[in-house]
Amino acid sequence: MSDQPEFKFTYTNLLHEYESCLNAGYKVITCKEYVEWKKVSAQKEKVLVNRVDVDFSIKKAARLADIFARLKIHATFFIRLHAPEYNPFSFEGYRIIKRLINEGHEIGYHSEVVDESVIWNEDAVSCLKRDIDVMNRMFNIEISGVASHGGMTGNNNLDFWKNRKPSDFGLLYEAYDTQPEFNLFHACRYVSDSEWTRWKAYHNGQLLKDDRRPPSLHALDEPRVLHILIHPDTYFENHFYE
């Protein structure tokens, strides 16, 4: 697919991507709503599971919220607690996250418990329980899911879940877990901007090699479940370094 046009990661283009998916008949839902959709839906409708990993910029997350508000759709925003790049409990960080909650978005935990365990020499289970408790109390919510963050430490935070279940911690899901109650990654068309300057895609857990199409073009294939993962840090008005 070398003839695919280059995608420019502007806020305007991202807005058009979501508009195109909506026009293609997709119902946009959160990760928590996907759990409910699997339980009660006849599953004939096409759904777009909307996930946002806030890796580096909480302020840019607010720009994505502007887009979602315009389109009247929601997302699951996974928030880090220990990022050096932003503080979710700062005046501005807290204000933005409370805005997301008040506008109906789901807040999840972008977990780094293996990193915490290694760096702090603390038990990873205790770290996760404490982090969940801190988030719930600080924002007056009860989070339903976590997504393991992939950072620069060389540790794999997803390893924590090899022999554990989200339900062990009162959670409905981990973003890549294979429990039948969730199992999203292996039952969807997954499209992500995680390579920063280009899209990548998986179908039912298998990489679609050299497929750099944006979500709107994947929507033309009409997968029943289209799962979009985006990062606020990737997008801009005019250029990446603005």
Side-chain angles (χ1 to χ4, degrees), residues 112-125 127 157:
E112 299 174 271
V113 292
V114 175
D115 290 332
E116 292 172 53
S117 178
V118 172
I119 294 171
W120 296 339
N121 192 30
E122 294 185 4
D123 176 60
V125 168
C127 288
N157 289 295

Side-chain angles (χ1 to χ4, degrees), residues 62-231:
R63 292 295 304 271
L64 298 190
D66 292 339
I67 291 174
F68 298 153
R70 177 172 172 179
L71 298 174
K72 296 180 172 60
I73 61 176
H74 296 121
T76 300
F77 286 81
F78 289 101
I79 306 297
R80 296 171 69 189
L81 292 189
H82 311 292
E85 293 85 5
Y86 69 89
N87 178 3
F89 307 137
S90 69
F91 287 111
E92 188 64 2
Y94 182 87
R95 185 192 69 81
I96 291 171
I97 293 171
K98 287 297 289 187
R99 174 200 167 182
L100 297 176
I101 294 168
N102 291 337
E103 292 184 358
H105 300 288
E106 178 191 4
I107 301 298
Y109 175 38
H110 209 17
S111 169
E112 299 174 271
V113 292
V114 175
D115 290 332
E116 292 172 53
S117 178
V118 172
I119 294 171
W120 296 339
N121 192 30
E122 294 185 4
D123 176 60
V125 168
S126 298
C127 288
L128 179 60
K129 289 181 177 179
R130 181 177 60 207
D131 287 348
I132 291 172
D133 181 55
V134 166
M135 287 192 75
N136 286 343
R137 288 197 290 154
M138 191 69 182
F139 297 112
N140 193 28
I141 58 176
E142 291 187 12
I143 66 169
S144 297
V146 303
S148 299
H149 175 65
M152 302 299 292
T153 62
N155 304 316
N156 187 348
N157 289 295
L158 196 57
D159 286 345
F160 177 84
W161 298 100
K162 284 183 176 179
N163 300 304
R164 300 179 178 93
K165 298 178 181 179
S167 58
D168 297 338
F169 302 90
L171 302 169
L172 292 179
Y173 67 87
E174 197 286 329
Y176 296 101
D177 82 55
T178 57
Q179 298 297 310
E181 295 82 4
F182 195 68
N183 194 31
L184 173 58
F185 182 68
H186 292 90
C188 74
R189 176 70 56 84
Y190 170 95
V191 186
S192 170
D193 64 7
S194 56
E195 293 189 359
W196 290 89
T197 59
R198 60 187 185 181
W199 296 97
K200 69 175 181 180
Y202 290 74
H203 187 72
N204 294 341
Q206 299 297 315
L207 177 67
L208 299 179
K209 187 177 179 181
D210 298 326
D211 192 334
R212 305 301 178 183
R213 291 178 295 165
S216 60
L217 296 185
H218 286 279
L220 298 179
D221 294 343
E222 297 191 314
R224 179 174 296 175
V225 180
L226 178 60
H227 181 22
I228 298 179
L229 165 60
I230 60 174
H231 301 75

Side-chain angles (χ1 to χ4, degrees), residues 228-241:
I228 298 179
L229 165 60
I230 60 174
H231 301 75
D233 329 290
T234 306
Y235 299 89
F236 51 84
E237 197 73 47
N238 299 298
H239 61 86
F240 185 80
Y241 291 109

